[in-house]
Amino acid sequence: MSTAPPPPRLGRYLRALTEPARSASGGLVLVWRLIVGTVQGFSEHKVLTLGAALAFFVSLSLAPMLVILLAVAGLLGDDVQARFVEQMTELVGPNAGAALETVIESARR
């Protein structure tokens, strides 16, 4: 089983990092090349945009996931559901806990 060679650009960076430094400032040049390559890769792959998209979709999926968790906790019994609400109240605060209890009450009707 053969491994594919690294992409040309990555190969250059790997060779530059593994070549011995020719002078005292050679180490700084290698560090600078690594920093520049990292920033360029960060920019090329649009990491900030992907991170923002991930955060957005996770925030959209939290409410449905919470409803599903509450339904499962309700199937396991009122004690489990009460402990879940208590732990969520400790985690997110009393206002969110009260809202969670309101959601549970409206779901029971």
Side-chain angles (χ1 to χ4, degrees):
M1 200 165 143
S2 65
T3 59
R9 190 169 198 180
L10 179 61
R12 281 189 307 222
Y13 287 123
L14 292 175
R15 279 192 303 279
L17 290 174
T18 56
E19 289 176 358
R22 291 187 170 80
S23 66
S25 64
L28 293 175
V29 171
L30 291 178
V31 170
W32 179 251
R33 286 181 187 168
L34 178 65
I35 292 171
V36 168
T38 302
V39 171
Q40 285 176 344
F42 192 85
S43 176
E44 286 175 11
H45 295 291
K46 300 177 182 171
V47 175
L48 290 177
T49 303
L50 292 174
L54 180 64
F56 176 74
F57 287 112
V58 165
S59 66
L60 284 180
S61 68
L62 285 178
M65 190 182 315
L66 186 62
V67 170
I68 292 170
L69 283 173
L70 285 172
V72 170
L75 292 174
L76 295 175
D78 289 335
D79 183 46
V80 174
Q81 193 172 26
R83 287 188 63 207
F84 177 74
V85 170
E86 179 183 317
Q87 289 180 358
M88 289 301 293
T89 301
E90 289 176 9
L91 182 67
V92 295
N95 291 339
L100 191 58
E101 289 177 3
T102 304
V103 168
I104 292 171
E105 289 302 319
S106 66
R108 285 185 181 166
R109 289 187 226 169

